[in-house]
Amino acid sequence: MKAEIIAVGNEVVMGNTINTNAGYIAKQLQTMGIMPKYHTAICDEPEAIKSAMDIALKRAEVVILTGGLGPTKDDLTKEVICEHLNKPLEMNQEAQEALEAYFKSINRIMSENNKKQALFPKDAYILTNNHGTAPGCILEYNGTPVVLLPGPPKEMQPMFNDFVIPYFKKLMTIYYETIDVKLFGIGESIMAERISDLLGEFEWGTVAPYISGYEVIVRIIAKGFTKTEAKQRAQAHKNKVETRLREYVIGYNEDKLEEQVLECLKKHDYTVSTVESCTGGLLAGRLVNCSGISAYFEQGMVTYSNEAKTKLVGVKAETLASVGAVSPETAKEMAEGVKRVTGADIGLSTTGVAGPTGGSKEKPVGLVYIGLALPDQTYVHELRLKGTRTQVREKTVKTVLYELYKLLK
């Protein structure tokens, strides 16, 4: 089935809001065998909405719209679509009661204009909004499902997961299983060379590479006449990919690298501390994202100045004087120092030139050293990174976690 995703909103068209909804919906659709073929963004104007709807109905078998379901006058999506498809609106008692209950739960009086959010065609399948005031709905027009969803991601995503996915799964006669093999530390071209015969479209499904942030993803979508058949096919191909790229695998599907690191810390019963210069606390923050890290994370320090490096973690003054803060020697002493002073099993350090200023011929912007002091040995890696200041810092954190994960795994 081919799908079109339409974002309605001046803020999206003008670039004030990034359309993350389209990416989220597209990814979820694929897991059900519905292939997103078109992404469209249109302004809050009746003619634009009608025109986009007409085009979508001609070229797609599923149409999903986000945005324009709010209570204000410029929230036109539901009204325009229903009028255009000749589906009269009427007050839905259940939706009205749900709205009233929502406002009561947040101790606010429901405005008169909110009532229009409870208007739906008689044959609409209403999607409850448990995180806001705008219910969604699914309409059927000449056999084509037309899905109307709210724009705010915090409302759209749970509505899509709780109602839209189950709705479409009931319609599917073939089952699909999706596995994302997440890789780090390898480029897309090298990865593609290693598994070239495993990529492409096959009778049983598709395998394709993607770039997501600093990761390379191999997405496997397998189909079968039963759930078991689809899962077995996906798993078999995942095993083939993993066999060739094992050292770069950092997880699957929604796995996060920091969560994988936490599992390794649990396995070895190791604690960890961090001392950061160029990353300024990002590394500690990434670890603290994990629920349950408190039993394994001892302490995080930011030693931006040379004085702090010496005072807090014992970096030698002569080291800083002779080779500078951005050096493998300093990274090593930082990692070993934070491990020593905090009593952790592992010490992690970062020091470098994040830019855009501060670089030199000898130590250019993007030069970073990371230290990993494990119970039995200390490892130091030199990184030559490209990008903005933020990108250099984020890539540094990702690399530290990856190197630690490799060592513990």
Side-chain angles (χ1 to χ4, degrees), residues 131-142:
H131 299 82
T133 65
C137 69
I138 300 177
L139 311 171
E140 188 172 301
Y141 182 75
N142 292 338

Side-chain angles (χ1 to χ4, degrees), residues 84-271:
H84 194 52
L85 301 183
N86 193 28
K87 291 182 175 290
L89 294 169
E90 59 182 54
M91 184 60 66
N92 182 282
Q93 188 65 29
E94 186 177 343
Q96 184 179 9
E97 290 175 358
L99 268 175
E100 292 170 349
Y102 175 82
F103 277 97
K104 186 176 181 180
S105 70
I106 61 175
N107 198 28
R108 285 174 53 191
I109 298 174
M110 188 173 81
S111 301
E112 190 67 25
N113 57 4
N114 284 107
K115 290 183 179 180
K116 83 183 189 86
Q117 294 178 293
L119 295 171
F120 289 98
K122 184 176 294 185
D123 62 347
Y125 175 61
I126 298 174
L127 311 174
T128 303
N129 190 337
N130 295 316
H131 299 82
T133 65
C137 69
I138 300 177
L139 311 171
E140 188 172 301
Y141 182 75
N142 292 338
T144 300
V146 177
V147 184
L148 306 182
L149 298 169
K154 69 181 181 66
E155 299 178 31
M156 187 283 295
Q157 291 183 12
M159 183 181 293
F160 192 88
N161 293 338
D162 295 342
F163 302 106
V164 180
I165 290 177
Y167 177 89
F168 280 112
K169 281 188 174 180
K170 288 181 181 179
L171 302 179
M172 307 304 291
T173 57
I174 294 179
Y175 294 89
Y176 289 83
E177 180 74 13
T178 299
I179 299 178
D180 284 349
V181 182
K182 307 175 81 169
L183 311 168
F184 185 80
I186 186 172
E188 185 180 18
S189 58
I190 297 176
M191 176 276 298
E193 285 180 3
R194 292 197 183 185
I195 62 169
S196 59
D197 59 311
L198 302 179
L199 299 173
E201 294 189 8
F202 306 93
E203 183 180 349
W204 54 265
T206 61
V207 184
Y210 297 88
I211 300 294
S212 178
Y214 305 111
E215 300 172 356
V216 177
I217 294 174
V218 179
R219 176 165 296 164
I220 302 164
I221 303 177
K223 58 185 177 182
F225 290 108
T226 65
K227 289 182 180 180
T228 300
E229 184 179 41
K231 286 183 178 181
Q232 287 176 343
R233 287 174 171 173
Q235 187 67 37
H237 212 78
K238 186 213 84 167
N239 292 341
K240 293 178 182 179
V241 171
E242 188 176 49
T243 297
R244 301 189 196 179
L245 301 171
R246 188 177 304 278
E247 63 183 295
Y248 305 105
V249 175
I250 59 172
Y252 307 95
N253 296 345
E254 301 305 318
D255 288 345
K256 292 181 172 58
L257 181 53
E258 55 266 31
E259 293 171 349
Q260 299 290 85
V261 169
L262 174 57
E263 290 307 308
C264 289
L265 293 173
K266 289 179 180 179
K267 178 181 177 181
H268 294 284
D269 196 25
Y270 284 160
T271 56

Side-chain angles (χ1 to χ4, degrees), residues 345-361:
D345 298 301
I346 297 171
L348 306 175
S349 68
T350 66
T351 180
V353 186
T357 60
S360 65
K361 184 177 180 180

Side-chain angles (χ1 to χ4, degrees), residues 280-332:
L282 283 180
L283 176 57
R286 186 66 60 85
L287 288 168
V288 173
N289 281 342
C290 301
S291 175
I293 192 66
S294 58
Y296 301 92
F297 183 61
E298 290 287 347
Q299 190 170 337
M301 301 183 189
V302 177
T303 57
Y304 213 70
S305 68
N306 287 351
E307 292 77 11
K309 292 177 176 65
T310 299
K311 180 180 178 180
L312 296 178
V313 293
V315 175
K316 299 183 182 68
E318 51 267 34
T319 300
L320 294 168
S322 60
V323 294
V326 182
S327 64
E329 293 86 353
T330 297
K332 182 175 185 291

